[in-house]
Amino acid sequence: MHEWSVGEGILRSVIDWAKENNINSVKRVKVAIPSFTFLEADILKEAYDTLKKGTIAENSVLEISFKDPVFKCRNCGNIFTIREVINEVEKVKDEFGEEYPLHLMSGLAPAFIKCPKCGSNDIEVSSQEIMIKGVEVNGTP
Ligand SMILES: [Zn+2]
């Protein structure tokens, strides 16, 4: 269900942006999603395609790419990606099932993730936002 609220959020941003820029038809929307939100791209697309009907984004295609969040340990300075701590994240996912906290509050991630080098929980997360990377409008080459 999370996909639907994300889809709605993306669509709303695109529509607001288009209105501000006097654009009346959107062709393509590119988004980058942090991989550890575990959003299903297919469901997100389906949500977007359903929600866009009747809006200026009706004929647009949603293009989804995933990006790996990067973490920095404040204790030892180690920089690591989600791939290095995926087992810890999976553990949390198993415990909480579909609605596990990372889904809703990615800011909580450091509570579950330990630095693979020194074991500290003092972790900074970067690039965990869903980002609209680009919007193509009709008339764009
Ligand atoms: Zn560390």
Side-chain angles (χ1 to χ4, degrees), residues 83-128:
R83 300 281 160 218
E84 292 171 63
V85 289
I86 196 73
N87 289 341
E88 289 175 51
V89 176
E90 290 295 336
K91 225 185 289 164
V92 176
K93 205 181 163 193
D94 285 348
E95 263 174 53
F96 291 89
E98 273 301 295
E99 294 300 319
Y100 76 114
L102 289 190
H103 227 140
L104 304 168
M105 290 171 277
S106 45
L108 281 179
F112 306 110
I113 294 165
K114 283 197 287 283
C115 171
K117 209 168 166 186
C118 74
S120 167
N121 266 113
D122 199 1
I123 304 295
E124 230 172 80
V125 191
S126 68
S127 68
Q128 55 175 323

Side-chain angles (χ1 to χ4, degrees), residues 7-8 10-19 23-29 45 47-62 135-138:
E8 203 185 341
I10 293 168
L11 189 64
R12 202 180 302 133
S13 313
V14 169
I15 291 170
D16 287 350
W17 173 85
K19 273 183 189 156
I23 286 153
N24 49 30
S25 180
V26 178
K27 206 160 74 176
R28 192 181 304 276
V29 176
K45 265 194 188 146
Y48 182 86
D49 287 344
T50 305
L51 294 164
K52 74 184 182 183
K53 285 181 185 130
T55 74
I56 51 172
E58 182 156 10
N59 297 314
S60 64
V61 177
L62 184 67
V135 180
E136 266 177 49
V137 299
N138 287 332

Side-chain angles (χ1 to χ4, degrees), residues 30-88:
K30 292 179 186 173
V31 291
I33 292 174
S35 51
F36 80 128
T37 55
F38 294 103
L39 287 168
E40 297 282 345
D42 289 348
I43 301 173
L44 180 55
K45 265 194 188 146
E46 192 193 316
Y48 182 86
D49 287 344
T50 305
L51 294 164
K52 74 184 182 183
K53 285 181 185 130
T55 74
I56 51 172
E58 182 156 10
N59 297 314
S60 64
V61 177
L62 184 67
E63 269 185 25
I64 299 167
S65 60
F66 288 93
K67 54 175 181 169
D68 284 339
V70 176
F71 303 95
K72 190 184 174 203
C73 175
R74 289 199 189 101
N75 185 48
C76 73
N78 184 28
I79 291 170
F80 56 100
T81 68
I82 190 85
R83 300 281 160 218
E84 292 171 63
V85 289
I86 196 73
N87 289 341
E88 289 175 51

